[in-house]
């Protein structure tokens, strides 16, 4: 098979065996390109990749730090908000309890006052009544004496019968 | 009419690899469609198979000119 | 170079029948150089390849000249290429294969630029459609994966595991071992080279025929519909060729990675 291929290349046939000069020059061109790629291109390409990786890593770390910071700030704010809410609740409670005690106080005072007023009024009323009764009694006594003396003029003198009338009225008021 | 029988021989020799490639690639596409996550592996294996099958056609191509 | 093809590629007059297609791939040396009995003549293919290599190297150099954290357009482009190859390596070999990244990236852009010469104006000829170019690329790939195998597993174990496959019945071992040996050491680089070569040959013929069709039929009073068809078809053909160009570079690099991977791991 090999001799036939070799023979074929010499004649007018299709050229399957490589041309010597092309083989050598092609190899030279390829190796030059390979060397250029190794020396000039790939160090820079790798450098670029590493740089980019470093930059991206730095950015990611930065972002993480920012995120952490934000987290702590948020937690801080939340704690503060909770604090404020507690404070507000406490203030409201305090106000409520103050108001409650105030109310109770006021009510108590008002009741006491009312009771005082009522008592005073009652005592005044009762005093008034006593005085009125007293007045009435003396009046009635005087009137009865006068009446009696007018009726029984002679027989009865005022001083002895005064005791009688008093007794009567006493009985009257008791039954009253 | 001029020419050599080699060309005819080459034409005949492409039949087998042609059918083989058809079956091979068809099956590969089938399995890729069935398991898309294994597509990379299937593709690589498919190309290796193609390289082996195609070797026959390429041998015929060369021999058509050489013999 | 014959007249039809010259006409197709450079413009000019067309007369006579279509020439043997072989002439598309025959380039007489422009300068005959011989050194110590080695033929070092320079022909058009070599010039094209040099220009494309220079372009590839310049592109990558400019892309990573002043690498920035936030890449510019060119740097992003270069990084896309490197990342593409890195992804191939990670998929096939894994993280320990990253030391082959420069080699495989160079291979990828080299093959890609060689192939792109196929549809580059004023070149219209992929150096990879001459057997020498795919061959030395395959040779480098072969050297690398055999070298890696010998380094990672030890020379003796590497070749022993290749011939004496563990877990195979003794009766069929000689045949299987022979097949494995031939497959690993001869067939792999051979198919690697011929795959690229054959694709580029076919692509080049397709492109040239499309252009010749336009050139021949468009001015003709009776055949101009064919010329118009060729005119419409040529962008499609070029796009298809661009696809093939990328695919072949990808497959070459990927198979090299696969072979390196198979050399790194002890056999099955």
């Amino acid at each position: 098979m090999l001799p036939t291929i070799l023979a074929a290349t010499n004649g007018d046939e299709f050229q399957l065996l490589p041309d010597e000069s092309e083989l050598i020059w092609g190899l030279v061109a390829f190796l030059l390109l390979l060397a250029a790629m190794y020396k000039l291109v790939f160090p820079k390409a790798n450098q670029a990749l590493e740089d980019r990786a470093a930059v991206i890593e730095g950015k990611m770390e930065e972002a993480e730090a920012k995120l952490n910071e934000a987290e702590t700030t948020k937690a801080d704010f939340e704690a503060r908000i909770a604090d404020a809410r507690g404070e507000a609740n406490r203030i409201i409670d305090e106000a409520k309890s103050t108001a409650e005690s105030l109310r109770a106080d006021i009510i108590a005072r008002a009741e006491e006052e009312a009771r005082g007023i009522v008592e005073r009024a009652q005592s005044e009323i009762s005093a008034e009544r006593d005085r009125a009764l007293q007045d009435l009694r003396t009046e009635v006594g005087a009137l009865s004496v006068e009446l009696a003396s007018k009726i029984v003029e002679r027989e009865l003198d005022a001083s002895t019968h005064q005791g009688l009338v008093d007794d009567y009225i006493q009985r009257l008021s008791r039954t009253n | 009419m001029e020419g050599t029988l080699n060309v005819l021989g080459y034409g005949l020799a492409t039949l087998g690899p042609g059918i083989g490639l058809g079956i091979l690639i068809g099956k590969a596409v089938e399995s890729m469609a069935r398991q898309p996550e294994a597509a990379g592996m299937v593709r690589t294996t498919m190309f290796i198979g193609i390289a082996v099958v195609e070797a026959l056609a390429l041998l015929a191509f060369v021999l058509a000119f050489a013999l | 170079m014959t007249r039809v093809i010259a006409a197709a590629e450079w413009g000019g007059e067309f007369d006579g029948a279509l020439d043997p297609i072989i002439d598309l791939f025959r380039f007489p040396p422009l300068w005959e150089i011989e050194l110590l009995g080695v033929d070092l003549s320079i022909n058009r293919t070599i010039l094209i390849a040099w220009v494309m290599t220079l372009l590839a190297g310049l592109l990558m150099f400019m892309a990573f000249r002043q690498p920035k954290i936030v890449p510019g357009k060119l740097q992003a482009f270069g990084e896309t290429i490197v990342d593409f190859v890195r992804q191939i390596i990670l998929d096939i070999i894994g993280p320990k294969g990253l030391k082959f990244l420069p080699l495989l990236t160079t291979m990828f852009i080299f093959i890609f630029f060689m192939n792109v010469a196929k549809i580059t104006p004023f070149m219209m000829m992929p150096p990879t459609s001459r057997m020498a170019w795919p061959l030395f690329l395959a040779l480098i790939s072969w050297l690398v994966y055999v070298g890696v195998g010998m380094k990672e597993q030890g020379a003796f174990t590497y070749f022993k595991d290749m011939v004496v496959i563990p877990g195979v019945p003794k009766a069929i071992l000689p045949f299987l071992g022979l097949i494995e040996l031939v497959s690993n050491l001869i067939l792999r680089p051979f198919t690697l080279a011929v795959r690229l070569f054959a694709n580029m040959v076919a692509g080049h013929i397709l492109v040239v025929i499309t252009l010749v069709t336009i050139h021949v039929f468009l001015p003709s009073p009776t055949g101009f519909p064919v010329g118009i068809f060729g005119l419409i078809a040529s962008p499609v053909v070029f796009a298809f060729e661009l696809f093939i160009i990328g695919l072949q570079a990808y497959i070459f690099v990927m198979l090299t990675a696969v072979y390196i991977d198979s050399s790194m791991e002890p056999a099955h």
Side-chain angles (χ1 to χ4, degrees):
Chain A
M1 181 172 132
L2 200 63
T4 359
I5 296 176
L6 282 173
T9 57
N10 294 331
D12 243 14
E13 296 295 316
F14 201 81
Q15 191 169 16
L16 252 190
L17 263 203
D19 196 52
E20 198 180 335
S21 61
E22 283 181 7
L23 200 63
I24 292 165
W25 285 124
L27 209 57
V28 166
F30 181 80
L31 290 181
L32 278 179
L33 184 64
L34 189 61
M37 295 284 280
Y38 256 110
K39 279 258 180 269
L40 297 175
V41 173
F42 271 89
K44 284 188 172 176
N46 290 337
Q47 187 63 41
L49 280 183
E50 274 164 25
D51 283 357
R52 188 168 308 154
V55 165
I56 289 172
E57 242 162 58
K59 281 262 158 46
M60 276 169 83
E61 269 169 23
E62 200 178 312
E64 210 155 297
K66 285 252 171 72
L67 193 68
N68 280 338
E69 200 180 313
E71 288 279 333
T72 50
T73 316
K74 195 182 158 215
D76 194 31
F77 276 138
E78 263 168 18
R80 267 195 224 171
I81 287 171
D83 272 3
R85 194 164 295 151
E87 183 82 4
N89 279 343
R90 200 181 56 73
I91 287 171
I92 289 170
D93 282 350
E94 207 171 283
K96 260 187 203 162
S97 66
T98 311
E100 193 69 29
S101 67
L102 215 63
R103 191 174 71 118
D105 208 25
I106 288 170
I107 287 173
R109 215 153 358 112
E111 271 175 1
E112 206 174 320
E113 208 164 311
R115 214 181 302 123
I117 289 172
V118 168
E119 270 173 16
R120 217 169 331 119
Q122 268 174 350
S123 67
E124 249 169 52
I125 287 169
S126 66
E128 200 72 24
R129 197 186 61 176
D130 281 357
R131 205 173 46 232
L133 267 178
Q134 199 63 45
D135 282 358
L136 202 61
R137 211 177 283 155
T138 47
E139 195 83 3
V140 167
L143 275 180
S144 343
V145 169
E146 218 177 80
L147 189 65
S149 64
K150 267 182 188 161
I151 298 171
V152 279
E153 253 194 18
R154 313 282 239 178
E155 288 154 67
L156 293 176
D157 75 288
S159 60
T160 32
H161 288 94
Q162 184 67 40
L164 223 109
V165 172
D166 272 352
D167 195 43
Y168 177 74
I169 288 173
Q170 202 71 39
R171 248 187 296 136
L172 205 76
S173 65
R174 206 180 303 138
T175 53
N176 208 6
Chain B
M1 269 289 264
E2 277 182 42
T4 67
L5 273 179
N6 289 354
V7 179
L8 211 60
Y10 171 61
L12 287 175
T14 52
L15 277 181
I19 294 168
L21 283 178
I23 293 172
L24 202 156
I25 297 172
K27 290 280 180 193
V29 169
E30 218 171 80
S31 59
M32 272 188 225
R34 191 170 299 156
Q35 274 179 301
E37 68 272 9
M41 206 190 69
V42 171
R43 193 180 302 119
T44 308
T45 318
M46 180 187 83
F47 273 118
I48 297 171
I50 287 176
V52 173
V53 173
E54 227 179 15
L56 299 172
L58 293 172
L59 278 176
F61 177 81
V62 171
L63 292 179
F65 290 112
L67 287 180
Chain C
M1 197 107 92
T2 55
R3 271 207 225 132
V4 174
I5 293 149
E9 291 193 359
W10 303 101
E13 293 303 312
F14 167 73
D15 58 340
L18 210 64
D19 299 276
I21 210 93
I22 302 303
D23 287 342
L24 276 176
F25 302 98
R26 187 171 288 150
F27 294 94
L30 297 173
W31 297 290
E32 304 240 11
I33 307 169
E34 198 170 320
L35 210 69
L36 302 171
V38 182
D39 180 22
L40 290 178
S41 319
I42 293 177
N43 60 20
R44 185 155 166 257
T45 324
I46 295 173
L47 288 180
I48 290 173
W50 279 356
V51 170
M52 290 319 267
T53 311
L54 204 66
L55 228 64
L58 217 62
L59 189 75
M60 289 312 273
F61 177 68
M62 292 300 279
F64 289 108
R65 193 172 43 133
Q66 284 165 331
K68 293 187 188 69
I69 305 296
V70 179
K73 277 180 195 155
L74 204 59
Q75 194 188 341
F77 174 71
E79 276 177 11
T80 310
I81 293 175
V82 175
D83 273 352
F84 178 66
V85 180
R86 192 201 307 276
Q87 204 51 52
I88 296 176
I89 292 176
L90 286 178
D91 277 353
I92 293 171
I93 310 181
K96 65 180 185 296
L98 280 180
K99 62 186 167 194
F100 300 109
L101 180 61
L103 175 77
L104 292 182
T105 312
T106 313
M107 241 178 202
F108 182 76
I109 60 169
F110 188 78
I111 296 171
F112 187 80
F113 272 83
M114 291 298 114
N115 294 353
V116 148
K118 175 162 69 179
I119 54 171
T120 310
F122 307 114
M123 291 182 185
M124 300 309 270
M125 161 71 200
T128 34
S129 66
R130 300 266 291 166
M131 194 56 193
W133 304 84
L135 192 70
F136 81 76
L137 287 164
L139 219 63
I140 288 171
S141 166
W142 183 82
L143 280 177
V144 168
Y145 78 75
V146 170
V148 166
M150 294 208 287
K151 190 165 158 261
E152 296 279 321
Q153 303 181 34
F156 180 71
T157 332
Y158 178 58
F159 288 115
K160 197 206 80 186
D161 273 3
M162 203 184 290
V163 179
V164 188
I165 303 136
V168 168
K170 283 217 161 39
I172 57 165
L173 196 58
F175 305 104
L176 215 57
L178 193 67
I179 290 173
E180 274 289 295
L181 194 70
V182 169
S183 155
N184 276 357
L185 294 184
I186 299 171
L187 228 47
R188 274 181 179 185
F190 178 76
T191 52
L192 212 53
V194 171
R195 179 177 300 111
L196 183 55
F197 167 72
N199 273 292
M200 288 306 117
V201 167
H204 185 50
I205 292 173
L206 182 59
V207 169
V208 168
I209 284 179
T210 312
L211 296 183
V212 168
T213 305
I214 297 170
H215 187 79
V216 168
F217 283 98
L218 208 54
S220 127
T222 49
F224 70 92
V226 181
I228 288 170
F229 172 73
L231 209 58
I232 293 165
S234 62
V236 180
V237 169
F238 274 46
F240 175 69
E241 286 310 319
L242 193 61
F243 166 69
I244 294 289
I245 282 163
L247 188 71
Q248 287 308 316
Y250 168 67
I251 285 182
F252 196 99
V253 168
M254 206 207 63
L255 283 177
T256 303
V258 167
Y259 295 157
I260 289 174
D261 179 51
S262 71
S263 299
M264 272 182 149
E265 301 291 329
H268 327 293

